[in-house]
Amino acid sequence: DVKVTQSSRYLVKRTGEKVFLECVQDMDHENMFWYRQDPGLGLRLIYFSYDVKMKEKGDIPEGYSVSREKKERFSLILESASTNQTSMYLCASTLQGVLNIQYFGAGTRLSVL
Amino acid sequence: DQQVKQNSPSLSVQEGRISILNCDYTNSMFDYFLWYKKYPAEGPTFLISISSIKDKNEDGRFTVFLNKSAKHLSLHIVPSQPGDSAVYFCAASATGANSKLTFGKGITLSVRP
């Protein structure tokens, strides 16, 4: 089974803090994705990466950056957390060109106070 | 502009009856469609998919129908069970899109015992 692991299930941070959300997958997938899920808004793509050190902006990249130094690990960085970044963050991965089935981690519920 | 639309935010059905979840899309480049199921505090899990070369795909109690001319797909769950109560996301992708998925806002299904 594909395993996508997000380092924290729940995080509470203060406004202005730098926040790191980590995601690791164990299936040698090329593509990795970060989404946020908010009530009534569905899943919105923040950033994705299709190879080590490669990244592309998704639909809502403002206020976020990412890092992919190793194939299995994709990090989401909130440079200066704000209250409107309180959300559920979901990481996903998939093999390149294989039916686009993305496998998700359990999510990180981030609260910014 | 929302390319994948799930216009009904919620659906309630009686246990044993059929659940029909609808999804519409606007981008004619989409050629692969997926349904994900999400429980609270968990990541989405892949449920079933359909390629644009088919109009139906069945997996146990779950069947997805695709009407390309109407740009409409639906997920049928028969018979519905209380454990099916969850949020269901419709997603779509286009060939060559680096495995990117575009998600709808989700439908909350409640199955009453």
Side-chain angles (χ1 to χ4, degrees):
Chain A
D1 272 356
V2 175
K3 188 155 178 142
V4 179
T5 303
Q6 294 185 230
S7 53
S8 304
R9 293 299 303 272
Y10 301 94
L11 272 179
V12 180
K13 297 292 181 181
R14 296 213 173 269
T15 302
E17 278 193 77
K18 190 168 186 176
V19 181
F20 294 86
L21 303 183
E22 307 286 344
C23 176
V24 177
Q25 49 92 4
D26 66 356
M27 286 302 293
D28 204 35
H29 285 172
E30 293 91 354
N31 299 334
M32 297 187 74
F33 306 81
W34 274 106
Y35 296 88
R36 62 179 282 177
Q37 184 204 356
D38 300 287
L41 296 178
L43 274 68
R44 293 182 292 166
L45 181 64
I46 304 171
Y47 266 98
F48 69 101
S49 169
Y50 50 89
D51 203 351
V52 175
K53 296 193 187 294
M54 305 300 287
K55 61 185 179 185
E56 283 198 23
K57 293 179 180 179
D59 300 319
I60 51 164
E62 297 79 18
Y64 303 94
S65 62
V66 291
S67 172
R68 187 141 182 228
E69 296 296 319
K70 294 185 178 181
K71 191 174 186 179
E72 68 271 19
R73 186 180 297 269
F74 191 35
S75 303
L76 179 70
I77 304 157
L78 286 65
E79 297 290 343
S80 177
S82 64
T83 55
N84 62 12
Q85 292 178 311
T86 292
S87 187
M88 167 71 94
Y89 289 88
L90 294 159
C91 174
S93 73
T94 186
L95 276 172
Q96 188 83 270
V98 179
L99 297 181
N100 295 346
I101 297 174
Q102 292 185 13
Y103 297 90
F104 283 83
T108 297
R109 171 68 67 183
L110 173 67
S111 296
V112 182
L113 306 178
Chain B
D1 181 32
Q2 206 181 346
Q3 299 185 65
V4 177
K5 301 177 184 179
Q6 296 178 260
N7 292 320
S8 302
S10 63
L11 175 68
S12 180
V13 299
Q14 192 76 37
E15 181 178 5
R17 299 289 189 102
I18 184 171
S19 296
I20 300 176
L21 288 70
N22 293 307
C23 178
D24 297 292
Y25 62 96
T26 57
N27 188 340
S28 58
M29 298 300 292
F30 288 149
D31 56 6
Y32 189 65
F33 304 89
L34 307 89
W35 284 93
Y36 281 83
K37 175 179 178 179
K38 185 181 183 301
Y39 293 118
E42 293 184 14
T45 54
F46 170 71
L47 195 56
I48 193 170
S49 63
I50 188 167
S51 164
S52 60
I53 62 172
K54 293 186 171 183
D55 53 19
K56 176 183 174 182
N57 188 28
E58 192 171 353
D59 183 2
R61 296 186 297 114
F62 302 91
T63 303
V64 56
F65 295 91
L66 175 63
N67 182 334
K68 287 192 295 292
S69 61
K71 293 190 176 67
H72 176 82
L73 61 154
S74 60
L75 174 68
H76 292 211
I77 307 173
V78 185
S80 301
Q81 299 173 355
D84 296 329
S85 297
V87 178
Y88 289 79
F89 291 100
C90 172
S93 71
T95 301
N98 263 329
S99 303
K100 279 178 62 178
L101 293 178
T102 301
F103 285 85
K105 293 185 177 182
I107 301 172
T108 300
L109 173 65
S110 299
V111 180
R112 307 185 303 273

